[in-house]
């Protein structure tokens, strides 16, 4: 059976555990690369990863992009460009910033 993993900083990924995904909090490049290899060679079909962590592992991710499995999908973290895009989409849809209070 295929599984889904989420990798990144704890603040960005902790909610995914409630959805039944396996979460792996990492900020350190060497340990995260080791875990990514382990997950990719295991039974994980999808690996969600925060943009910040993906930047650190870009060469390794490029290697797996040429493989059928796993699909590595980037998600915005609690900071970064992706979260700004989400914020703009919410503002456009509802007319104000209802999610993020600065």
């Amino acid at each position: 059976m295929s599984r889904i993993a989420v990798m990144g900083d704890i603040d960005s990924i902790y909610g995914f555990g409630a959805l039944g995904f396996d979460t792996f909090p990492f900020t350190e490049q060497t340990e995260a690369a080791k875990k990514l290899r382990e997950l990719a060679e295991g039974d994980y079909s999808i690996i969600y990863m925060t943009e910040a962590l993906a930047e650190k592992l870009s060469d390794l991710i490029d290697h797996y992009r040429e493989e059928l499995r796993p699909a590595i999908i980037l998600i915005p973290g609690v900071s970064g460009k992706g979260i700004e895009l989400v914020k703009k989409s919410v503002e456009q849809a509802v007319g104000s910033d209802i999610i993020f209070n600065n």
Side-chain angles (χ1 to χ4, degrees):
M1 182 168 145
S2 296
R3 297 165 67 184
I4 299 174
V6 185
M7 296 178 68
D9 63 277
I10 188 69
D11 292 333
S12 297
I13 69 167
Y14 73 92
F16 288 93
L19 299 173
F21 299 163
D22 296 332
T23 58
F24 301 94
F26 287 101
T27 55
E28 202 279 318
Q29 181 177 350
T30 304
E31 290 299 314
K34 181 178 174 183
K35 179 54 82 174
L36 177 56
R37 285 186 197 96
E38 180 184 316
L39 297 175
E41 293 169 11
D43 60 346
Y44 287 88
S45 297
I46 301 171
I47 300 172
Y48 290 102
M49 184 178 299
T50 59
E51 293 172 329
L53 183 58
E55 282 182 28
K56 296 177 182 178
L57 302 176
S58 62
D59 291 339
L60 185 56
I61 291 171
D62 287 343
H63 166 76
Y64 288 115
R65 291 221 188 270
E66 297 176 11
E67 304 291 324
L68 282 176
R69 200 176 142 263
I72 299 174
I73 302 167
L74 304 186
I75 57 173
V78 292
S79 62
K81 290 188 279 185
I83 202 70
E84 287 302 315
L85 294 174
V86 171
K87 183 177 178 177
K88 286 180 182 179
S89 295
V90 169
E91 287 176 0
Q92 184 178 8
V94 299
S96 76
D97 181 3
I98 62 170
I99 296 179
F100 304 99
N101 294 320
N102 294 333

